Amino acid sequence: MKRYIMEHTYSIEAGNYAVAGEASSSIKGLLKKLGIDGGIVRRMAIAAYEAEMNLVIHSVGGSLTIKIAPDELLLISEDGGPGIADIDLAMEEGYSTAPEEAREMGFGAGMGLSNMKRCADEFNIHSDAGIGTKLQIKIYLK
Amino acid sequence: MQIREVARLLKADILAGSVNLDREVKFACGSDLMSDVLAFVEEGTLLLTGITNLQVIRTAEMIDVFVIVFVRGKVPANDVIDMANDRNITLMSTDYTLFEACGILYQAGLKGKS
Ligand SMILES: Nc1ncnc2c1ncn2[C@@H]1O[C@H](COP(=O)(O)OP(=O)(O)O)[C@@H](O)[C@H]1O
Ligand SMILES: [Mg+2]
């Protein structure tokens, strides 16, 4: 088992666009304060923000967790539904089921999941339609 | 190009973050798609957009963008301006369209990054 020296969980409310991004902002601030390399902080901030926006836009609500070990960062996004029926399709750039209100804010281009994957050294997504989605994004520190 | 010069060329009003007026940007990006911005925009790039909500500030914050130009005369709500001031992000508003504003800055020597 990996030993993480620090761990923080943020609960993310569905549809609350006014605070959407606060968790990612706080994660970014934490990583910066720990003196982690700027390029890595940026990659994790982008991944966290895309994951957070997906929780706000697409899920019924969930959580974002950041875990920090000496040699890796791990971000976990978990929600309680509605799940993704076809993950391969959801991963395609340009595929989006985002509602109009998300598009008005500049989201819903269907690039979030591929952005997260691009930022990650290891990317894992598991989803059960009707149950929920769990995402894991790992970035190596060495 | 100095931020001050960007504002002059675009006849733009400074709405927030006047602390950055003497700072320089080398590149600019015009987009309304925040995921595109997150994917392709490098630190310190000037962002031009027609989107004025809080998520634009959040996006800028994640990728260390410190200056945003709102086109077509758009002005964001006060909470957006407050958030930008809080994060030392410069906001300005120009009457030019996205296409025109990008053209003016490009002609004046600011480059895109592809
Ligand atoms: N947490 C989630 N819960 C349910 N569906 C999701 C979740 N995250 C992503 N999706 C689905 O995957 C699609 C693609 O996601 P993404 O690549 O982030 O693009 P976008 O958010 O712009 O639609 C979404 O439109 C949605 O249908
Ligand atoms: Mg998304």
Side-chain angles (χ1 to χ4, degrees), chain B residues 55-85:
Chain B
Q55 301 315 322
V56 175
I57 313 296
R58 296 279 192 209
T59 298
E61 180 188 357
M62 296 307 151
I63 56 175
D64 301 307
V65 158
F66 63 84
V67 52
I68 303 168
V69 178
F70 298 117
V71 296
R72 274 185 288 125
K74 293 191 176 189
V75 173
N78 282 334
D79 55 340
V80 176
I81 292 175
D82 290 345
M83 189 188 270
N85 273 323

Side-chain angles (χ1 to χ4, degrees), chain A residues 48-115:
Chain A
Y49 185 45
E50 289 281 13
E52 184 175 1
M53 289 311 292
N54 277 0
L55 289 171
V56 173
I57 297 169
H58 305 293
S59 88
V60 298
S63 65
L64 213 53
T65 300
I66 181 78
K67 296 187 181 194
I68 300 160
D71 59 348
E72 71 175 45
L73 304 176
L74 176 64
L75 181 82
I76 302 166
S77 164
E78 273 177 299
D79 65 59
I84 301 172
D86 186 340
I87 289 182
D88 290 338
L89 182 62
M91 290 295 303
E92 270 180 29
E93 291 201 352
Y95 175 82
S96 176
T97 60
E100 187 54 33
E101 56 174 344
R103 292 175 194 277
E104 277 165 14
M105 289 187 306
F107 280 87
M111 290 183 48
L113 290 170
S114 43
N115 268 359

Side-chain angles (χ1 to χ4, degrees), chain A residues 17 25 28 42 49-50 106, chain B residues 34-35 41 55 61 63-64:
Chain A
Y17 293 104
S25 169
K28 185 180 184 197
R42 191 184 140 96
Y49 185 45
E50 289 281 13
Chain B
M34 291 306 116
S35 286
V41 171
Q55 301 315 322
E61 180 188 357
I63 56 175
D64 301 307

